[in-house]
Amino acid sequence: MKLSQLKMLVAVAEHGGFSAAAAELGCTQSRISHAIAELEGALGATLLARGPGGSVPTEAGRRVLAKARQMLRLEAGLVEAARGAEALDATVRIACFRSGGTHLLPHVLEILAKTHPALHIEIDDGVEGRLGIEHALREGLAD
């Protein structure tokens, strides 16, 4: 098992298919297909259900993806440690609409987790309207 295979698995899951993942990673679709097949062989499980509409994680794939994302965050932390970069270890409080928390934040949080693995995020996605967000900011309930 290689970290590059895990990166490819995560990319396929996030982009819904091999072609989009290949474009994101700057490699060929066949390279990703081969890497995923090797990973599935090493793990003894089918990780992606492939179909004409794209690829979605299987139940085993969802479990592996959770661990793969953890491993990739650890890798990012190792790189930072090797470079002597100070880890950003803080708590950020976010106030948002439920739709923003559901549809927009997961992508942002994934990037933050990769770049700042020690960062802690607290989310209040029950805020009502723009005024509710302004109130949370003014009252120090959100950053």
Side-chain angles (χ1 to χ4, degrees):
M1 183 181 334
K2 301 174 186 169
L3 285 175
S4 62
Q5 293 169 326
L6 297 178
K7 287 178 186 175
M8 291 178 191
L9 175 66
V10 169
V12 171
E14 288 178 355
H15 295 288
F18 287 73
S19 296
E24 171 72 22
L25 297 174
C27 63
T28 64
Q29 181 179 345
S30 63
R31 180 174 176 210
I32 291 182
S33 181
H34 181 70
I36 300 293
E38 282 184 348
L39 182 60
E40 288 176 326
L43 296 174
T46 301
L47 303 175
L48 297 168
R50 297 149 175 93
S55 298
V56 295
T58 61
E59 184 61 37
R62 285 189 286 280
R63 290 190 303 270
V64 169
L65 276 164
K67 296 295 183 183
R69 288 182 173 112
Q70 287 177 343
M71 292 175 72
L72 294 173
R73 284 191 293 272
L74 286 172
E75 177 204 24
L78 285 172
V79 171
E80 285 182 19
R83 293 182 182 157
E86 291 185 30
L88 183 56
D89 188 6
T91 299
V92 176
R93 298 165 301 164
I94 299 172
C96 64
F97 308 109
R98 188 165 310 274
S99 61
T102 302
H103 300 290
L104 300 175
L105 280 181
H107 305 290
V108 173
L109 295 176
E110 185 67 29
I111 293 167
L112 279 174
K114 289 177 185 176
T115 56
H116 302 290
L119 190 64
H120 305 282
I121 307 290
E122 295 177 4
I123 300 170
D124 178 4
D125 66 351
V127 178
E128 295 293 328
R130 181 180 59 85
L131 295 176
I133 291 175
E134 288 178 9
H135 174 76
L137 289 168
R138 281 195 195 106
E139 296 299 319
L141 303 171
D143 301 308

